[in-house]
Amino acid sequence: MFDLRANENKWQQQWEKTKLHETDLQTAKNPFYNLMMFPYPSAEGLHMGNVFAYIGSDIYGRFKRLQGHDVFEPMGFDAFGIHSENYAIKVGIHPLELIPRNIENFRERQLKKLGVMFDWKHQVDTTDPKYYRWTQWIFLQLYKNNLAYKKKSAVNWCPSCLTVLANEQVVNGFCERCKTAITKKETEQWFFKITNYAQQLLDNLNWIDWSESTKIAQRRWIGRSEGLRISFPIADLKEQIEVFTTRPDTIFGATYLVLAPEHPLLGKLVTSEFEKEVNEYVQAAQRKTNIDRESIEKEKTGVFTGSYAINPANNEKIPIWISDYVLMTYGTGAIMAVPAHDQRDLDFANKYQLPVVEVIKGKEVFDKKTAYVDDGVLINSEAFNELSNREAIYKINAWLIGENKAKEEINYRLHDWCISRQRYWGPPIPIVYCSQCGTVPVPEEDLPVLLPEVEDFRPKGEGTSPLANIIEFVNTKCPKCHGEAKRETDVMDNFLDSAWYFFRYPSAHDDSQIFDQQLIKKWLPVDMYIGGNEHAVLHLMYTRFITMVFKDLGYINFEEPFVKFRAHGTIIKDGHKMSKSKGNVVNPDDHLEKYGTDSLRMYLMFLGPYQEGGDYSDSGIKGAKRFIERVYEYFSSVDAWEEKEFADHCNQELINLVHETIKNVTIDIEALKYNTAIAKIRSLYNYIEEKQVKNKMVGEIFIKLIAVFTPHLAEELWSLLKNEYSVFNYGWPEYDEAKIIIEKIEMVVQVNGKVRGRMEVASDISQKEMEAKALEIENVQKHVANKEIKKIIVIENKLVNIVVI
RNA sequence: GCAGGUGUGGCGAAAUUGGUAGACGCGCUAGACUUAGGAUCUAGUGUCCUAUGACAUGGGGGUUCAAGUCCCUCCACCUGCACCA
């Protein structure tokens, strides 16, 4: 009996000994950078999702290697961040001790067993000072180029993680990590100006070769909308309120304004009569979580400020209200309410008895309950009456702009990236505050700003990092005037660590520079990136931003990091995502031990399309193991392989099958359709076994095809056939369309689209002969009898359809 | 609510993009070998059925010689985003 585990150990050792997977980056002639998303090393170890992702990516890498590329397939650890830190807190072990232990476990006990061709010489660990020194360096470059700034604003606050979060890390109002409801907190934070790149981030989506689902998610997240910024003068005050709208055609129906409770002009607007009510409302809004505030089920509330604005279109006096359905974070934090044509405004107007003026007439009669939001003809709009609203938009825009009452504006949903974290486990922000010189960046030669060893690394929750309590860390000298100064005590968002790691892999041990320009030129952008779509608007957005910054600062000459990105699917179990609470988690270690890596690799790739994932079943993996054992038995039982050109000595059926299989498997793997590739390889094997094929060339072709899926088995079979190590140095099989000769075809004969018979015909038969032959079939005659043949449709090599009436 | 996706045997899934529905597997059934089988091998396996028949790709309708595939409509589930002005 074939011992899969022993065989795997044997070849893994051999690979390591011969450095088969170490690519010489300098001399490589045909580079292919095959990247997969690196993991954060949790103590639980790899889960089935990681395993699925890495195996799928490795198959592509092995395929490219066999096709003759020098494949660079590095791996590293995304070990900074709240996830790692929270785990350390939970188990009560300091991250400085825990994380290296986890990394060791991940690499030695798990990743190395997957049979993936990682090049460990280029391992990267984001918590290594030699790495985060460059993360800090990146911060400094952004700072020097006005792309990093500090500002006070209402930011997302997680009351459980005790830190602020970027918008991308708030999921449905909950913390991405711990699922706690997010509140708003008014504090000073560091931001990166990702919004400077909003348009470029959007435009490039038109040409990068990424999974469509990922591109759609990014487009929506960037959320470009075109409209007008209109100024509404405030009655009795020399101020203006600016609103953003995409529907200037409805301006004559704007019957009131609504400001966000945080709006800066609010103080000036509120009349003494309404002061108490307004203050109470503002305070209540501040206390609410985003969930309470942004839930659309909730009834809208608001209060009148006592002031009025002038509608610049018709000079009507309209009241100014505040409400928390208007967000300070989008547009100008103020809207013109057009209740007749916006459902939210209508609900609000009905509740507080505000006037509703219909300005666009549609087909249906407006019932004051459902806002009319479709196209129509303008009414109650003075000079613009009877225009279609599509036309009116242009005319009203031109008029308002001409009158200096508005200007065109493009708004994005995307906000600047808040990178401050009031936590311990991250790279310190390299900034010093001096009472004389103000905010001073740490000089590049003083990097890294080392993360100090702190006994109590728990977050304190006062809006400051635990580092704020370390006097030796905080107190420092100003790099400019050498006077007393204090360090910034926040650390950087973990997503910055991972936004540039693939730039570092080729230069992983270069302490003189962030990366070697020559190597970057040779190896980047990444040829193929595979990862989970949960990072569609997080990692994959930030990493594009950082790449664009590198380009603009002159470090690289490309602006998109990944030529090709593919999102893999998720592995589910019994119809649900694997999760501890559902109790359906499959531990990959057990299955690796029991069935071997090759079985697991083959099974995972076979259970569904790679980009969709699939449902894991324990029994399915047995089938893969059975297949591997059967193949081994067959190959080892052949004592004499015929060393002949198979194309000359085999029957045409086998020749056709081999060429067709090579062709289809090549196409399928390129498209990541591993499940069907495996099905076709198995079909070929079934034929080999059934017909007891012993041609050595056919055997070798089969081994190469299966090698990407079951590399250990392939090496063993390769040596069984007395070939030289390693099969991965011997190229991907070629197919030759010309060798596929079809002499006879089985054709289906239909009568009125229903199959009534089959016939075997020579491939060079004429259409007339084919028709005649079809009509000879007894069962066909039965169905054609006494009927008039209207026409006969012949599809080459497939079928004949006789249409009768 | 919006966007995207999915819906095919008992199960995971295929289907050359309009041309033989169910490839390749899992499971199951029967048989062989065996002291034994949760091992292995062989055969069978969409449903109904006397079938050379009929019916079958979430439901209904349409286009076509021909529809899982195209169009209309309805339903269910999954994933994102969600008061974005």
Side-chain angles (χ1 to χ4, degrees), chain A residues 572-586:
Chain A
I572 55 173
K573 178 82 201 295
D574 310 323
H576 300 283
K577 241 184 186 161
M578 288 188 197
S579 74
K580 268 184 248 165
S581 58
K582 289 218 174 69
N584 62 350
V585 177
V586 180

Side-chain angles (χ1 to χ4, degrees), chain A residues 649-759:
Chain A
H649 293 85
C650 295
N651 66 56
Q652 192 60 44
E653 194 180 37
L654 176 60
I655 292 168
N656 288 350
L657 179 64
V658 168
H659 283 289
E660 264 163 15
T661 304
I662 297 171
K663 180 182 171 184
N664 291 328
V665 168
T666 307
I667 291 168
D668 283 353
I669 294 180
E670 185 57 57
L672 308 184
K673 285 155 92 182
Y674 300 142
N675 56 332
T676 49
I678 291 171
K680 284 157 196 166
I681 295 169
R682 292 187 71 140
S683 289
L684 173 65
Y685 175 74
N686 288 346
Y687 185 91
I688 291 174
E689 196 194 58
E690 193 192 334
K691 306 277 178 186
Q692 293 286 301
V693 175
K694 287 175 181 163
N695 180 287
K696 193 172 174 225
M697 276 188 81
V698 175
E700 286 172 8
I701 287 166
F702 168 77
I703 294 168
K704 287 173 170 180
L705 293 178
I706 199 83
V708 297
F709 298 104
T710 57
H712 314 83
L713 171 74
E715 291 280 26
E716 186 64 23
L717 299 180
W718 191 249
S719 76
L720 262 178
L721 262 59
K722 303 194 171 55
N723 282 310
E724 259 177 63
Y725 174 81
S726 147
V727 63
F728 292 99
N729 290 333
Y730 283 86
W732 186 251
E734 300 280 329
Y735 64 90
D736 186 351
E737 207 93 44
K739 293 268 163 60
I740 304 176
I741 299 163
I742 294 158
E743 289 155 344
K744 280 185 190 165
I745 319 153
E746 192 192 54
M747 290 191 66
V748 163
V749 182
Q750 298 180 332
V751 178
N752 282 352
K754 298 220 155 126
V755 181
R756 299 299 177 190
R758 284 154 212 280
M759 59 182 184

Side-chain angles (χ1 to χ4, degrees), chain A residues 98-115:
Chain A
L98 185 70
I99 297 303
R101 217 198 278 169
N102 288 352
I103 287 180
E104 177 81 4
N105 179 47
F106 253 68
R107 187 184 52 230
E108 298 305 321
R109 210 180 56 73
Q110 297 191 296
L111 288 171
K112 284 194 174 174
K113 300 225 167 111
L114 295 180

Side-chain angles (χ1 to χ4, degrees), chain A residues 31 198 304 325 340 395 423 425 429 455 602 684 775:
Chain A
F304 180 44
Y325 83 88
K395 301 219 159 145
R423 296 288 295 233
W425 195 234
I429 295 174
E455 196 58 38
M602 184 158 186
L684 173 65
L775 285 165

